[in-house]
Amino acid sequence: MQTISGIEKMKTRARRLRERGKSIGFVPTMGDLHEGHLSLIRESMARTEKTVVSIFVNPAQFGPGEDFASYPRNLNKDSSVLSGMEVDVLFAPSEDEMYPHGFKTCVQVEKLQDRLLGRSRPGHFKGVCTVVLKLFNIVQPDVAFFGQKDAQQAVILKKMVEDLNLDVRLEILPIVRDEDGLAISSRNRYLNPEEKKAAKILSASLREAQEWIEGSERESAAVVERMRRKINSESLARIDYLEIVDGASLEPMDKITDRALIDLGVYIGKTRLIDNAVVRLKE
Ligand code: AMP
């Protein structure tokens, strides 16, 4: 595995790969790699000829008072995991090179960025889109792999790719969960054992919602209300947002159809966890 930190060097490497006709798969991450990330990397390695993984804790997507400073950073450990998997390139740029003094440009996907998680984290998706577009320009991937865990992010990035005519295909892969059903996340590290147990309420409530819907409940308000009651029965949980929306437009959906996305953010103690489920209707 080659580790590259310089932007120009990464661009040159990508250009050479493309000249040799190699397809490039790209997995952008903030590091502290876990099974969720590894599932994306394995898929990229299976589907493309060369895989580039980036590790960059992007300051632009953290708001004031958020966990940018304490976000887990494990570059040495991540690097040995990636090299053990025989990933082709690890791209780990510095903050100074990504955002040099005087940096002024940003990308915003209007409206979609203000809904759901975006309401609680203003500026978050602007930071995500800006860094992802920069990374796409540097790595020049044919295919980029993202997780359904960040469902709103996936919708927003697809819109950015469409609106800006970017030459990259996005693949969105399923949520990887632990044995308790908890969606794996770097932020799960912030949970103490009691909170970790309480965090099961997110996936449990989504599972129950799916069952109600399968049992022919079609009123979003009724499903949301039952989910709220269930989550609120867990004393460590506090709902940040919980909505049933159209999976493409993220607009609220009153009557549930097979385009519905149940999306939620719930604080467990001081940690906000996010999870979601795509509704599957049998008929
Ligand atoms: P992050 O390092 O948290 O920015 O995540 C990098 C990529 O991994 C994003 O596309 C996430 O959606 C994806 N990801 C994170 N956790 C999971 C998970 N549990 N299952 C699937 N994908 C995930």
Side-chain angles (χ1 to χ4, degrees), residues 12-178:
T12 306
R13 177 87 165 100
R15 202 159 42 238
R16 296 239 166 89
L17 288 172
R18 294 180 76 93
E19 280 163 10
R20 281 165 47 209
K22 303 288 184 194
S23 59
I24 302 178
F26 178 41
V27 183
T29 80
M30 298 208 297
D32 188 32
L33 300 178
H34 53 61
E35 256 322 297
H37 299 117
L38 302 191
S39 72
L40 306 183
I41 295 166
R42 284 191 206 104
E43 205 59 27
S44 173
M45 293 177 73
R47 294 203 216 167
T48 64
E49 288 166 296
K50 296 285 175 184
T51 288
V52 179
V53 176
S54 68
I55 294 184
F56 180 62
V57 184
N58 174 34
Q61 71 190 65
F62 290 80
E66 290 187 352
D67 57 343
F68 175 67
S70 58
Y71 196 86
R73 290 161 171 86
N74 286 304
L75 191 56
N76 288 340
K77 181 161 162 271
D78 289 346
S79 166
S80 60
V81 169
L82 294 173
S83 114
M85 291 174 84
E86 300 185 10
V87 161
D88 300 283
V89 179
L90 163 59
F91 177 51
S94 72
E95 223 177 289
D96 286 349
E97 212 189 344
M98 285 295 274
Y99 297 110
H101 183 68
F103 186 91
K104 287 216 172 4
T105 308
C106 65
V107 185
Q108 306 203 51
V109 177
E110 291 174 352
K111 296 214 167 66
L112 294 179
Q113 69 180 2
D114 302 323
R115 311 221 53 248
L116 304 161
L117 179 63
R119 204 174 300 147
S120 306
R121 301 188 73 186
H124 169 69
F125 289 111
K126 177 170 89 171
V128 169
C129 288
T130 303
V131 82
V132 169
L133 181 58
K134 280 172 70 73
L135 290 168
F136 283 174
N137 283 332
I138 296 164
V139 175
Q140 302 159 53
D142 298 280
V143 196
F145 296 83
F146 293 88
Q148 175 64 21
K149 159 93 191 324
D150 297 276
Q152 184 175 10
Q153 168 174 282
V155 170
I156 290 174
L157 291 176
K158 278 190 189 158
K159 192 74 188 121
M160 176 182 83
V161 165
E162 182 191 335
D163 287 356
L164 298 182
N165 311 98
L166 302 185
D167 236 348
V168 58
R169 195 173 83 239
L170 301 194
E171 291 286 346
I172 312 301
L173 300 183
I175 302 175
V176 178
R177 299 178 179 281
D178 73 9

